[in-house]
Structures are given as C-alpha cells and as structure tokens.
Amino acid sequence: MKKTEIIFGILLLISFILRFFLVPGGIILSVFSLSILALLYQVFGIVIFNNIKIRNLFKKESFRGVSAIQLIGSVGVGFGLSMVCIGVLYKLQNWPGANFTTIVGLSIIILLTLITFIEYLKSKRNYFSRILKRVVLFGIFGFVFLSLNSMSITKIEYRNHPDYLKALENYLNDTTNDTLKEKMEYEYLKTFMSEEELKLYHEYNN
C-alpha cells in the first residue's frame, strides 16, 4: 500500500508540472491522482499508518499490538488527509467548497499533529513517525493552496497567455455578457490551437 501511495504522489507531482507548462493531460492526471489519494487515505488509512499489508487486512493477527487509540487515530488522520486532497482538487478545478473542505482537513491535521508529536516524543514509535511525516507534508500542501484563489492558480498556469487572462477576468466581472463569454472562449482556444485549427473549428461550429 505504501508503494501505491508513493506512485500516486509522484503522479500528482508530474501532473502539476504538466499543468504548469499547459501540457495536454495534466488536468486529467491531477484529478485522477488526487482522487485516488483521497480514496486511499479515507479507506485504507488503518492499513497505511499501522504498516499492515493489504492482503493481511482481514487477518486478526495483523492487528496484534495495535491499540484502539491507534485505530481511531488512523481513521481520523486518513479522513483529514483525504479532505485536504479533495479541497486541493476542488481549488484546482475551481469547484465550489474548496476552501471549506481544505479547512476541515487542515483543522483535523493540526489537532492530530499536536497529539501525535507529543506521543512521538514520549515513545519514539514508528506509528507516530509515519503519521507525522504525512500530516506535515499535506499540512504544508493544504496551506499553500488555501492561500491561493482559483484566479491566482489560473494566472500561474496561463502566465504566457495574457489575452486569455484578460478576457477571463472581464467575463468573470460580468458573467451575463455573452460577448465577453465568446471572447473568453475564443482566447482559451488560442492557448492550445493554431490559427489553422481555430479556423477549422469555427467553420465546423458555424
């Protein structure tokens, strides 16, 4: 399960690089990797944080030495990390509820980080170490995206297309204006289409 977590973490990093350079597939890859990571932490938090192999999940002996507090803590941390992943996904896609979801996840992470850190200082157990590494990483990850608004992210992605950014801002200031909408859509197409492709596109749609 740890390998799966690392693989999708790497895919997420790659998706950000692709989005930064407006490479086709970057958006799909970021949605896919964040969704899988959210699902992974939500469903398999107990497995990941207690270092249990997935094939041994339903074997009673696998939980020998795992306390009830550890199980509850694993579920809580998994839920918090999952909420951060979903919040970041919503922010990237400009979907409603992004900040609220991220704040819920970060609140859980902050609380459990304090508890985990205190317990780690007491026992130095690997269980607490595994949790600390992830909550610190995703905590920073979540705070970075919480501090950005969707327009800031769009400006980073389309930094080399000022005409599109200007058209988008104009449309967002007056979303009932069909002329501004058409201009925005046209400038968006220009970000990845050549003049010839644009001509063919308009001929096909008119």
Side-chain angles (χ1 to χ4, degrees):
M1 192 56 68
K2 183 179 178 181
K3 289 181 180 179
T4 304
E5 182 187 15
I6 292 173
I7 288 171
F8 283 100
I10 293 172
L11 288 177
L12 178 60
L13 179 60
I14 292 172
S15 75
F16 285 156
I17 296 173
L18 294 179
R19 291 183 71 135
F20 186 77
F21 291 103
L22 294 181
V23 177
I27 293 176
I28 295 174
L29 186 59
S30 62
V31 171
F32 177 67
S33 53
L34 279 168
S35 298
I36 294 298
L37 282 172
L39 183 64
L40 198 66
Y41 290 126
Q42 180 73 43
V43 178
F44 297 106
I46 292 176
V47 174
I48 295 171
F49 303 125
N50 291 288
N51 203 28
I52 298 171
K53 293 182 178 180
I54 190 67
R55 63 174 179 270
N56 297 328
L57 179 60
F58 299 104
K59 294 181 179 179
K60 193 173 181 179
E61 58 269 21
S62 299
F63 293 90
R64 196 168 295 154
V66 178
S67 65
I69 293 177
Q70 281 183 232
L71 293 176
I72 296 171
S74 298
V75 172
V77 173
F79 180 75
L81 296 182
S82 179
M83 288 297 99
V84 170
C85 288
I86 293 172
V88 170
L89 171 59
Y90 282 19
K91 180 64 70 74
L92 283 171
Q93 297 303 112
N94 197 23
W95 293 339
N99 285 343
F100 175 77
T101 307
T102 305
I103 289 171
V104 169
L106 288 175
S107 300
I108 295 172
I109 283 177
I110 291 171
L111 175 62
L112 293 177
T113 297
L114 293 174
I115 296 172
T116 302
F117 183 68
I118 293 172
E119 292 300 322
Y120 176 71
L121 291 178
K122 291 179 181 178
S123 64
K124 303 293 183 181
R125 292 176 59 190
N126 289 332
Y127 167 76
F128 297 111
S129 176
R130 284 191 291 270
I131 288 180
L132 274 176
K133 290 175 184 177
R134 290 169 174 85
V135 294
V136 169
L137 178 62
F138 278 87
I140 295 172
F141 185 52
F143 273 114
V144 168
F145 276 88
L146 186 62
S147 66
L148 297 172
N149 58 44
S150 296
M151 193 62 199
S152 298
I153 296 172
T154 302
K155 286 180 177 179
I156 293 172
E157 291 181 322
Y158 293 90
R159 63 200 176 282
N160 295 324
H161 300 279
D163 291 340
Y164 167 63
L165 292 174
K166 181 64 176 176
L168 177 61
E169 285 184 307
N170 290 337
Y171 170 66
L172 291 176
N173 289 329
D174 184 8
T175 56
T176 60
N177 191 316
D178 290 336
T179 302
L180 292 178
K181 182 180 180 181
E182 290 176 4
K183 175 65 174 174
M184 181 270 293
E185 291 175 344
Y186 175 73
E187 292 297 338
Y188 172 71
L189 292 174
K190 283 174 62 178
T191 64
F192 62 90
M193 283 186 176
S194 65
E195 290 295 331
E196 185 176 338
E197 288 173 328
L198 274 172
K199 185 178 179 181
L200 291 172
Y201 176 84
H202 284 295
E203 288 177 356
Y204 180 79
N205 288 278
N206 292 325

